[in-house]
Structure formats: C-alpha cells, structure tokens
C-alpha cells in the first residue's frame, strides 16, 4: 500500500485467492488459436480463390484444435484479418475482414479506409500489398463464479467474529498493535480498518493505519489507501 500511496493509486484490489490467480486465469481464459499464412503479394495480383481457401482452412484448423476442449466451450468466434501495406513501406496495418470470402475490391477499400483512419493520408497511386492472412478462432469458456473461491459456509457473521487475535506490526517507523483476521471467515459485507493483518493460506494482506479494507460481492478485498 505504501507503493500505491506513492503512485497516487486510491485503491488496491486483493483477489480471493492471490496465490492461485495466475493458475486460475489459465483455466478460465478463453481458448484462442491465431493462425497466420504469409503471401506477400500485390493485391491486384493475388489469387482471390486461394485467399478464400486459406481463410477457410485457418478457420477449420482453429476449430479442430479447440475441439479437444469442446465440453468447456459455449460459443465460438472466428475473426478474419489481413496484414497489409503499401508497396515500398515497411510497417504493416492489420485490417479486419467481415468474412472469409471478401472480394479484391472490398479488401482494397478496407485497407485504404484503415490506412486513412490511422495516418490521415490517401495514397491511391501506390499499390497495396497483401502480406499475411490471419484468423483468430476463439472458444468462449463458461463464466467462472468467482464468489465460490471462498466457501460462504465458512464465513463468520461479522468482521469481529473473523478476528483471531492481534500482533505487533512495524509501520511508519514504529511498532503498532494490529488486529489479525482470518480471510476465509470475513463475511461478504465486512469492513476492516487498519492497522490490520488479514491472513489466509496463500497470502497475508497488510492494511496500514488510515486504510480500510472491504469485501466485495465476489470476495475481493478492496483496500482504500490513505492519501
């Protein structure tokens, strides 16, 4: 919290299971497959049948990879795009495609519009180059009920009932007495004033004097930092 105060951050959020948050993210994040094929060909010379076939194949491959986790996927999104540039330039501009069967004229217009929106410049005399075809296949997982990370049955009736003792805490250059709380027992509407220490199996949270911690609807600790 001292760092948050120094940086002017008014609130610190401590998730219900701090030690497991990264692993939990791997379990609940959407499944995403990004597939890329490089063509690097002038758009006016590109074989559009091949373009359509590549995008269709990317879609098929992405869906096939996600199929192994199909039981967890509730919705599949397919996003097509093209990396393009004007001939002679080095930077690429990614252009979202409305569908896999986009026409040459539509692709040219999409690129010119995207280029103008980005740089406010029109270059009709320079040929467009189709560098990469890109497809993202996103398998949306079921929403995870974060409130279940801490069993409601184990919560105490009040914050005072979750207090398990007190101990010395060194803060602001001196020792102070701090109340100690069991994080698992804190009720859903608990508010804890610092100085306090909130313990749980995978983390210890320090609430400095002048700060206040509150438990939100999904079990996060939201600590209002003293200015």
């Amino acid at each position: 919290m001292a760092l948050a105060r120094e940086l002017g951050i008014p609130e610190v959020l401590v998730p219900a299971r701090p030690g497991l948050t990264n692993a939990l993210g791997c379990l609940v994040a959407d499944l995403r497959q990004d597939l890329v094929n490089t063509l690097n060909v002038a758009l006016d010379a590109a074989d559009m049948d091949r373009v359509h076939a590549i995008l269709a194949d990317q879609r098929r491959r992405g869906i096939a990879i996600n199929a192994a986790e199909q039981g967890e996927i509730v919705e599949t999104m397919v996003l097509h795009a093209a990396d393009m540039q004007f001939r002679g330039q080095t930077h690429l501009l990614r252009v979202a495609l409305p569908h896999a069967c986009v026409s040459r004229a539509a692709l040219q217009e999409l690129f010119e519009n995207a280029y103008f929106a980005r740089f406010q410049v029109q270059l009709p005399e320079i040929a467009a180059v189709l560098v990469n075809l890109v497809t993202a296949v996103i398998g949306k997982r079921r929403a995870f009920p974060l409130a279940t990370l801490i069993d409601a049955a184990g919560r105490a009736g009040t914050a005072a009932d979750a207090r398990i003792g007190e101990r010395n805490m060194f803060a602001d250059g001196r020792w102070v007495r701090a109340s100690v709380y069991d994080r698992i027992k804190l009720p859903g509407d608990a508010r804890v004033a610092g100085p306090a220490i909130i313990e749980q199996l995978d983390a210890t949270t320090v609430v400095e004097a002048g700060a206040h911690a509150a438990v939100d609807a999904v079990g996060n600790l939201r600590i209002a930092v003293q200015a």
Side-chain angles (χ1 to χ4, degrees):
M1 283 194 300
L3 179 60
R5 186 168 55 249
E6 183 175 342
L7 296 176
I9 298 171
E11 185 179 64
V12 173
L13 187 146
V14 182
R17 298 289 184 179
L20 304 177
T21 300
N22 284 345
L24 180 64
C26 294
L27 294 175
V28 302
D30 295 334
L31 294 172
R32 177 171 179 141
Q33 312 301 329
D34 289 288
L35 301 104
V36 181
N37 285 73
T38 298
L39 299 180
N40 200 22
V41 61
L43 180 59
D44 57 10
D47 182 343
M48 295 308 293
D49 288 337
R50 184 181 177 217
V51 168
H52 300 157
I54 289 173
L55 291 172
D57 181 63
Q58 289 177 340
R59 174 191 179 101
R60 179 192 59 77
R61 288 161 54 204
I63 291 175
I65 294 171
N66 279 359
E69 306 291 339
Q70 191 61 48
E72 300 181 20
I73 297 175
V74 295
E75 179 188 0
T76 296
M77 296 174 55
V78 179
L79 305 175
H80 296 298
D83 291 333
M84 301 183 68
Q85 61 186 182
F86 282 116
R87 180 174 295 160
Q89 295 185 336
T90 57
H91 58 272
L92 297 177
L93 192 63
R94 180 154 295 184
V95 180
L97 306 181
H99 49 75
C101 294
V102 62
S103 67
R104 191 191 315 273
L107 188 51
Q108 177 76 32
E109 182 180 3
L110 288 167
F111 172 57
E112 290 178 353
N113 290 343
Y115 194 91
F116 184 80
R118 175 65 178 83
F119 299 106
Q120 298 297 297
V121 173
Q122 292 179 325
L123 301 173
E125 71 282 3
I126 305 179
V129 178
L130 176 57
V131 180
N132 300 316
L133 292 172
V134 181
T135 296
V137 178
I138 305 168
K140 305 287 289 185
R141 278 191 166 120
R142 294 182 181 85
F144 182 84
L146 293 176
T148 63
L149 288 174
I150 295 181
D151 187 3
R155 297 182 186 273
T158 67
D161 294 330
R163 186 176 183 275
I164 56 177
E166 62 178 32
R167 68 174 62 166
N168 288 331
M169 183 176 82
F170 192 78
D172 295 326
R174 62 190 179 91
W175 289 99
V176 296
R177 294 297 287 176
S179 295
V180 181
Y181 295 86
D182 184 340
R183 171 78 182 269
I184 305 304
K185 293 182 179 180
L186 283 174
D189 58 351
R191 289 182 58 84
V192 174
I197 297 171
I198 302 175
E199 297 181 340
Q200 62 189 106
L201 183 64
D202 56 337
T204 298
T205 302
V206 175
V207 183
E208 295 181 349
H212 292 79
V215 180
D216 68 14
V218 294
N220 297 312
L221 279 178
R222 307 183 77 97
I223 305 175
V225 179
Q226 182 187 30

